[in-house]
Amino acid sequence: MKELDRLQVLTRVAERRLTRRRAAGLLQIGERQVRRLYRAFVQDGAAGLVSRRRGRPSARRLPAATRERALALIRERYADFGLTFAHQKLTEEHALVLSVETLRGWMSAAGLWVPRAQRARRSYPPRERRACLGELVQLDGSEHAWFEDRGPRCTLLVYVDDATSRLMELCFADTESTFDYFHATRRYLERHGKPMAFYSDRLSVFHVQARDRAQGGPGLSQFGRALRDLNIDSLCANSPQAKGRVERANGTLQDRLVKELRLRGLSTPAAAEPFLPVFMADYNRRFATPARVAYDAHRPLLPSEDLTEIFTFQELRRITAQLTVNYKRGLYVLEDSVENRRLRRTTALVSEAADGTVTIRGNGHLDGVFAWIAAQQHDRDAARLANPKVTLRAKKRLRAAASSSASSAEP
């Protein structure tokens, strides 16, 4: 394109429609360079404007022996190495001084490296739908500007039945947190009952990689522990394509739900919550398919399954000889009673609710809710509220817990 621009300008110079000074300004070169180019153009025509360096090897290129040695080492020792890793080994182990981009060109020309854009994409064979409703429910969170520029950006938690593609539950949340999924899943269970299994991605809410952080075994998160207590299987997909039904539903919701909210003038999650059941009914009427087996696999909740207790953060802590329990940098002092003295040096189950309420259970029985003395608790909460490192969500929970405690203390 640069040479074509020069051809156009010099043609106008030759036709005396443009001065050489003006041509130098248009081409952003000096007048001397314009005179040289004009002489070449008069002598050889358009071919005289072609750069003579084209097709000639660079004077700064590396020797051919270096190229052959690098490719030979890669074929012999680093055939399955990535580009950056192979460059690291050639530089550190064999003292070959070259850039990554130079090595990329050499390996591409030799067929040892295929650019990502040219690689054959992995194929994902289709998975047959489950047979009946409630056998498998896919869930996912979709962060999007659901209210466009009228409201805050938030996340929509989506529950889709695998057998029928029905929307089973929609819930707006600030983020994909464990307590948000606790809230949405509780609404699901109270509305439909317990499905056989939930199918999700490998978000830390559903799957924990570190063995020492997992509750009750490797890979079991707080959400997974709650599903285990409810006798619901928790399955984690290894790729987005594996849970394609909920992924495709997210795309449809980001188109249709956004426009429906705009037409109704809904601008906040609180205002949009009453409309979600109406939207789900219309969506299911249009897009849901009948199951192969006309059977609902949802199971009713048992009387012993207390969702308020199950959907909490639960951790095991040891009760010391001084009847204290350490939890999240806080010290909880148990009442010095005969019953509590029997719990010394035993294990207690500490449960934390969404509003910050902490409950301590010993030997499987509720021994009470223990907190700091009122003044100590007030000072601790005030210090946390003044700490800039504490998240806004945590501060909101602290204020809500303080207000609820004050209202319950009024006569």
Side-chain angles (χ1 to χ4, degrees):
M1 293 303 298
K2 180 179 180 181
E3 293 170 354
L4 289 176
D5 292 340
R6 289 182 174 183
L7 175 61
Q8 182 182 10
V9 172
L10 292 177
T11 301
R12 294 169 62 187
V13 173
E15 295 174 351
R16 298 186 181 277
R17 293 189 294 145
L18 196 67
T19 65
R20 295 181 181 181
R21 176 174 296 181
R22 181 60 179 162
L26 292 176
L27 296 176
Q28 297 183 354
I29 57 178
E31 292 186 42
R32 184 177 178 181
Q33 179 75 352
V34 171
R35 289 196 298 269
R36 188 190 66 79
L37 291 174
Y38 184 72
R39 287 196 301 267
F41 175 67
V42 173
Q43 181 179 353
D44 300 325
L49 301 179
V50 176
S51 175
R52 296 180 181 179
R53 293 178 298 177
R54 181 173 300 171
R56 297 174 58 184
S58 172
R60 300 177 58 187
R61 69 172 181 173
L62 296 175
T66 303
R67 178 178 182 274
E68 296 301 328
R69 184 189 176 200
L71 294 179
L73 288 172
I74 292 175
R75 291 190 182 97
E76 179 183 355
R77 305 181 61 177
Y78 311 120
D80 58 341
F81 282 41
L83 175 64
T84 306
F85 197 17
H87 174 267
Q88 173 186 330
K89 291 301 179 182
L90 291 177
T91 304
E92 297 178 357
E93 303 293 337
H94 306 283
L96 291 178
V97 181
L98 68 160
S99 67
V100 176
E101 293 304 318
T102 299
L103 185 62
R104 185 195 305 274
W106 290 353
M107 293 178 66
S108 297
L112 301 176
W113 173 262
V114 180
R116 187 177 300 274
Q118 300 178 9
R119 298 176 190 174
R121 293 189 176 182
R122 175 186 173 185
S123 61
Y124 295 90
R127 178 179 58 82
E128 188 177 5
R129 292 176 179 268
R130 294 300 176 96
C132 56
L133 178 70
E135 187 175 352
L136 180 68
V137 176
Q138 300 184 16
L139 68 159
D140 191 25
S142 176
E143 183 183 0
H144 188 65
W146 296 102
F147 304 99
E148 298 172 309
D149 57 351
R150 306 184 312 278
R153 187 181 181 91
C154 59
T155 300
L156 182 67
L157 306 184
V158 184
Y159 292 66
V160 176
D161 180 69
D162 184 77
T164 62
S165 294
R166 283 180 52 185
L167 285 180
M168 306 298 290
E169 185 64 48
L170 295 177
C171 182
F172 284 111
D174 295 334
T175 58
E176 288 188 80
S177 67
T178 301
F179 279 119
D180 289 326
Y181 273 106
F182 278 169
H183 174 67
T185 305
R186 178 169 183 171
R187 289 195 345 187
Y188 180 100
L189 299 178
E190 292 174 346
R191 181 177 300 177
H192 305 288
K194 299 187 298 184
M196 300 299 296
F198 279 120
Y199 196 42
S200 64
D201 53 20
R202 303 182 78 83
L203 185 71
S204 60
V205 173
F206 311 111
H207 182 82
V208 179
Q209 295 289 351
R211 291 174 178 265
D212 56 344
R213 293 180 55 192
Q215 294 293 316
L220 192 63
S221 63
Q222 290 285 345
F223 187 81
R225 185 267 315 156
L227 295 186
R228 182 193 61 185
D229 294 344
L230 292 168
N231 194 21
I232 301 175
D233 291 335
S234 178
L235 308 177
C236 294
N238 292 320
S239 66
Q241 292 80 0
K243 53 185 185 69
R245 307 206 199 288
V246 69
E247 295 288 351
R248 288 189 291 271
N250 287 338
T252 305
L253 291 171
Q254 290 177 5
D255 177 39
R256 287 178 169 255
L257 181 57
V258 169
K259 295 178 174 62
E260 292 284 2
L261 295 175
R262 182 202 307 160
L263 292 175
R264 286 162 175 76
L266 302 175
S267 303
T268 61
E273 283 290 344
F275 169 68
L276 292 181
V278 179
F279 177 84
M280 285 193 296
D282 180 73
Y283 179 98
N284 293 334
R285 180 176 60 85
R286 297 177 185 275
F287 301 113
T289 60
R292 296 200 314 269
V293 179
Y295 172 75
D296 190 351
H298 287 97
R299 299 159 292 165
L301 290 168
L302 301 177
S304 58
E305 294 172 338
D306 184 5
L307 297 183
T308 303
E309 172 60 26
I310 291 176
F311 287 136
T312 57
F313 269 80
Q314 297 184 6
E315 295 186 11
L316 296 177
R317 289 292 185 269
R318 187 171 181 80
I319 302 176
T320 66
Q322 292 76 29
L323 293 179
T324 60
V325 176
N326 290 280
Y327 178 71
K328 286 189 175 181
R329 299 183 181 179
L331 185 67
Y332 294 85
V333 183
L334 278 65
E335 181 183 359
D336 188 9
S337 62
V338 177
E339 294 181 355
N340 289 340
R341 290 175 184 175
R342 299 172 182 173
L343 302 177
R344 293 172 176 172
R345 298 184 178 87
T346 61
T347 301
L349 179 64
V350 181
S351 304
E352 181 181 359
D355 59 358
T357 302
V358 176
T359 303
I360 300 177
R361 298 173 183 267
N363 294 333
H365 302 285
L366 181 63
D367 296 307
V369 179
F370 306 100
W372 287 99
I373 300 175
Q376 293 175 322
Q377 183 68 46
H378 180 271
D379 294 341
R380 173 167 160 247
D381 291 345
R384 293 190 65 188
L385 289 173
N387 189 354
K389 295 183 179 181
V390 178
T391 62
L392 295 177
R393 182 183 182 89
K395 292 182 179 180
K396 183 178 179 181
R397 288 167 48 192
L398 284 174
R399 294 190 183 97
S403 60
S404 62
S405 300
S407 60
S408 60
E410 293 178 358

